[in-house]
Amino acid sequence: MGNPVLVEVTRGRLTESRHRGAVAVVDADGKAVLALGDVAAPVFPRSAIKALQALPLLESGAGDHFGFGAEELALACGSHSGEDAHVAGVERMLARAGLAERALLCGIHWPLNQDAARDLARRGGSATALHNNCSGKHAGFLCAACALGVDTAAYITPEHPVQRAVKAVLDDLAGAVIPDERRAIDGCSVPTWAMPLTGLARAFARFGTGQGLTPVRAAAARRLLAACADKPWFVAGTNRFCTTLMSLFGPRVFAKTGAEGVCCGALPELGLGIAIKCDDGGNRAAEVVFAALVGRLLARTDAEQAALGPLARPVIRNWHGIEVGGLRPAAALLG
Amino acid sequence: MGNPVLVEVTRGRLTESRHRGAVAVVDADGKAVLALGDVAAPVFPRSAIKALQALPLLESGAGDHFGFGAEELALACGSHSGEDAHVAGVERMLARAGLAERALLCGIHWPLNQDAARDLARRGGSATALHNNCSGKHAGFLCAACALGVDTAAYITPEHPVQRAVKAVLDDLAGAVIPDERRAIDGCSVPTWAMPLTGLARAFARFGTGQGLTPVRAAAARRLLAACADKPWFVAGTNRFCTTLMSLFGPRVFAKTGAEGVCCGALPELGLGIAIKCDDGGNRAAEVVFAALVGRLLARTDAEQAALGPLARPVIRNWHGIEVGGLRPAAALLG
């Protein structure tokens, strides 16, 4: 019993580890195209829904008011690696709204990109809230608050108009009101609401197609999707899964990982949304599952197929560069 | 079906993630005291058996010949964090054998300890093989090769006398010859052999008690155990699980984690060995399982009980220091 094994991790001739999980692929009407495991259990989407959390930024008019282009909008949808151009982009977003780093309440951590972290240390620098992978999302919340004419001091609380707008977006896109007892606190201190994978997948199908959304919301979704397709490096960073996958497929694939083994996204041309949760919180497996689903669902050129391989079946190399094993989709996922 | 859930990860009022796995607690005769999940399936022990891999260092006479004390022996048994005193200790081991860093074939990575990595970058330094968490084990292999009078160039190959000695130790302690097709390559390029958890747990019961071992092997095991109990910081490092747990219990608990969700150890006063594998490779869960087993099996003072709590039920705080959830042993583990 329990969810099926979705990904196997091999070493030599043996399977060393196994990741279980659940997958929902759903259209904008909520019709399931694929359901593996328990797709009704509530799951914290974490950072996988940053693009949905960014809708109020555009719906509030802040995007136009502050003249945000694709880089700023991709940062608002992203979990960046803290590389120099990410940090500069977030600073630029804040500056347009007359704000500074101290307005960010996401907390401080060193850049996720280890080269960037060591470069920062080498220059005698220290981690700031700008380096937090969520700083682009938080800058977006602050800019939305400015455009709405509400205070910017308490923008991370569930009662704040920006977080209430985010909650309304989630209820609308998923097609169901999320009960308040499913609210917890995310790594960057904003609310996170647990939602069934079917609801998350439906939300991304509607985000990807605009179906059933108000014209304003559909236009905002289109603009965020275009920004992430245009500037995928600003959604994550160098050698990161979302960046690599979206660089490969452009506007045909939207993908966003979240902490604890979540990955959500959309295949707009098929009208589908995807939501994945690995039971154990393993992000390496969620990425393999997403890549395998793209391989199963989307028409591809030979070149795209070749480039997708290392994402769906990544090789594990040791500290000497020797190939010692790899990850691969398990039988349940191959259909 | 499948292994039971051993650890739950909570966020707010919900369980966010779950880790399944298997546990064997066995005495030196191989009698099972506790078996959860599939304890017969072969598991790569990875770094969890470094203490067993260090037995040839003492059995070869290298430990005495090079005058190694507790720090050097703990480094040979450990996966260090690359902090300054770890690196200096490994350099000292190599120097006693007339060797330098270039003799190490473990590969290069930056210190596991992020503060140490950033300090190194700040000083304008770069990662070397000395910073590799396995460099103490590799220095031990090299010193054993020197004492045996064999070449030091190919010490990582399965045919090398040191690796053959390691394999003989494992077969002896586990009480069964491991078939050669269960050999793969570890992260640091030495052979790793997949063994059933029952065999691993029995090996640690014998390591912890000396029961059934030759006098030379039993004395070597006693000396390694004493070294790790005396200098647990050299087995791992600042704020690391093995170091914290062994600092708390001294010679009453031996514990060693390995990559991909493995943790092995011994409770010598009870004559027991422990072997844990989390299916998904999650080390955070393997540590919680080991701490929970210590809590279930070992008599403790109130102070020890209080100190064990954060290891068996660690709190998860976000980047703002807010408590957002935690890890806890699941029902199957509490018995």
Side-chain angles (χ1 to χ4, degrees), chain A residues 11 16-19 46 105 110 114 118 121 185-187 189 260 277 279-280 284 318-320, chain B residues 11 16-19 46 105 110 114 118 185-187 189 260 277 279-280 284 318-320:
Chain A
R11 179 168 297 264
E16 181 167 29
S17 300
R18 291 164 182 82
H19 294 274
R46 310 292 302 274
L105 301 178
W110 284 78
Q114 291 302 300
R118 291 191 287 260
I185 304 170
D186 212 331
S189 296
E260 291 293 330
K277 164 75 182 180
D279 291 357
D280 53 75
R284 63 180 181 179
N318 76 2
W319 296 113
H320 251 157
Chain B
R11 178 169 297 266
E16 182 168 27
S17 301
R18 290 164 182 83
H19 294 273
R46 311 291 303 274
L105 300 179
W110 284 79
Q114 292 301 301
R118 291 191 286 261
I185 304 170
D186 212 331
S189 295
E260 291 292 331
K277 164 75 181 179
D279 292 355
D280 54 77
R284 64 179 181 181
N318 75 3
W319 296 114
H320 250 156

Side-chain angles (χ1 to χ4, degrees), chain B residues 192-220:
Chain B
T192 179
W193 286 274
M195 303 163 66
L197 288 179
T198 45
L200 278 166
R202 187 180 184 193
F204 275 94
R206 298 178 77 187
F207 178 76
T209 60
Q211 275 181 50
L213 303 185
T214 63
V216 169
R217 185 154 291 170

Side-chain angles (χ1 to χ4, degrees), chain A residues 47 64 119 169 254 276 281 294 303 312 331:
Chain A
S47 290
D64 288 325
D119 281 348
V169 162
F254 176 80
I276 298 157
V294 170

Side-chain angles (χ1 to χ4, degrees), chain A residues 3-4 6 20-24 36 38 41-46 197 200 258-264 275-282 286 289, chain B residues 9 15-18 284:
Chain A
N3 287 329
L6 298 179
R20 292 169 181 264
V23 176
L36 296 173
D38 184 353
V43 161
F44 289 114
R46 310 292 302 274
L197 289 179
L200 278 166
E260 291 293 330
V262 179
C263 192
C264 292
I276 298 157
K277 164 75 182 180
C278 281
D279 291 357
D280 53 75
V289 173
Chain B
V9 184
T15 297
E16 182 168 27
S17 301
R18 290 164 182 83
R284 64 179 181 181

